[in-house]
Amino acid sequence: MLLYLIGLVIVGLIVGLLARLVVPGPDPIGIGMTIVIGIAGSFIAGIIVRALHGTSGVGFILSIACAAGLVYAGRRSRAGQLRGPVARGGLRPPRRRYW
């Protein structure tokens, strides 16, 4: 059981890293989130391969594609959020009141 979990983490890391390489641009997520994305992509791909009665060779490529889709979706969901001083109002000049 422990070897299965270690293998799951290693495969998740490999798939997550390959998915992050496929999607261009910076992605500031940590190694833990990379593993989670890789495992989730492998899980989704496993469901698709089982539903289509495919082989495992296609499943690895599909798991990278699914994980890349998750990376892209996560990046798009964070795209509208402002970070840094702009979000806190630190770069705007103070409002002048003339009354």
Side-chain angles (χ1 to χ4, degrees):
M1 181 70 176
L2 181 63
L3 289 177
Y4 178 75
L5 292 176
I6 292 172
L8 184 69
V9 169
I10 291 172
V11 169
L13 178 64
I14 292 170
V15 169
L17 287 175
L18 289 174
R20 286 180 61 185
L21 285 176
V22 170
V23 180
D27 197 21
I29 61 174
I31 189 120
M33 195 62 178
T34 301
I35 292 171
V36 169
I37 287 174
I39 292 171
S42 296
F43 181 74
I44 294 169
I47 292 172
I48 294 171
V49 167
R50 290 271 176 125
L52 299 177
H53 304 290
T55 60
S56 63
V58 176
F60 184 72
I61 295 169
L62 188 61
S63 66
I64 294 171
C66 290
L70 291 174
V71 169
Y72 179 75
R75 191 178 294 166
R76 293 287 294 178
S77 69
R78 291 182 305 222
Q81 297 175 354
L82 292 175
R83 292 186 180 93
V86 175
R88 295 187 299 267
L91 295 181
R92 295 186 190 117
R95 185 188 300 182
R96 295 185 186 198
R97 298 182 183 176
Y98 298 102
W99 7 289

